[in-house]
Amino acid sequence: MSIPAQRVSSGCRAGGRRLFRPFWRPVVAAVLLALALMVLPLQAQAAADQQRWSLNDSSGHLWGLTLFEQPDPAYPAGWRLRLTARSPGQTVDHQRPLLLSDGLGGAWLLPNRSEELVRFGVEEIPGASAQFDADAMEPRPSEVLPLQLEAPTDIREGTALVMLQPEIVQALHELPPNL
C-alpha cells in the first residue's frame, strides 16, 4: 500500500492566504545594498585621493610622484605632492621648496613639508623622499600648458629637472581650490 505524497508548504494558511511570509529576503537584500553603497564610494574616494606616477629627470634618473590629500590630523589639511628618488644615490633636499613652472611665465613655489613624512621629533626624514604643499598652486596651472618641475636635491644645492606628463598636469589643474 502506498501513501499518497502530500505537499508541504512553509508558513500557515488561513483561508488560502499565508499568515507568515519570509521576512528575511528583503532584509538581506537591503543590508547587501547598504553595504555596497558604503563600500563603493570609499573605493572611489581612495582611488581619487592618491595618484601615482613614475618620471625621468633630464639626467635619466627615475622619480616617483604622488599626489594626495594629507590624512594625518596632526598636520594642516590640504593636498600634498610627494617626490621620491628611485635611482641609487639620489637624495632630495628637505628644506628648499619645489618649483613648478609653465612655458609662459607662470610659476608656483611649493613649500617643503617633508617633516610630515615622519612622526614629530621621533624619526629621521628619509633622504629619498620629500613632500610639498600642493595647495600653494594658486591659481591652479592650466591644463594645456606643459609644466616643468625643479626638484631640490642635496647634491651641491642642485635641482633635478622633470617635464610633467599631461595626465599629471591635468590632475594638478583639477585639484579642488583652497578653502
Side-chain angles (χ1 to χ4, degrees), residues 77-133:
W79 288 93
R80 301 295 185 265
L81 195 148
R82 184 176 298 154
L83 190 62
T84 304
R86 293 192 176 151
S87 293
Q90 289 287 105
T91 57
V92 209
D93 190 324
H94 295 120
Q95 305 301 314
R96 294 187 296 145
L98 178 77
L99 176 63
L100 288 171
S101 57
D102 61 27
L104 298 177
W108 297 264
L109 204 56
L110 309 185
N112 197 305
R113 300 275 187 249
S114 292
E115 73 278 358
E116 296 178 0
L117 291 170
V118 296
R119 292 179 292 159
F120 182 73
V122 177
E123 300 173 38
E124 188 174 320
I125 300 170
S129 290
Q131 189 161 291
F132 305 91
D133 188 348

Side-chain angles (χ1 to χ4, degrees), residues 32-113:
L32 289 174
L33 179 62
L35 286 173
L37 291 174
M38 288 185 330
V39 170
L40 289 175
L42 291 176
Q43 289 174 339
Q45 182 178 355
D49 285 351
Q50 192 169 55
Q51 301 174 57
R52 297 173 189 257
W53 299 274
S54 291
L55 308 164
N56 288 308
D57 66 19
S58 58
S59 298
H61 295 110
L62 185 62
W63 295 87
L65 184 72
T66 306
L67 181 63
F68 64 98
E69 201 164 2
Q70 174 56 268
D72 191 341
Y75 296 110
W79 288 93
R80 301 295 185 265
L81 195 148
R82 184 176 298 154
L83 190 62
T84 304
R86 293 192 176 151
S87 293
Q90 289 287 105
T91 57
V92 209
D93 190 324
H94 295 120
Q95 305 301 314
R96 294 187 296 145
L98 178 77
L99 176 63
L100 288 171
S101 57
D102 61 27
L104 298 177
W108 297 264
L109 204 56
L110 309 185
N112 197 305
R113 300 275 187 249

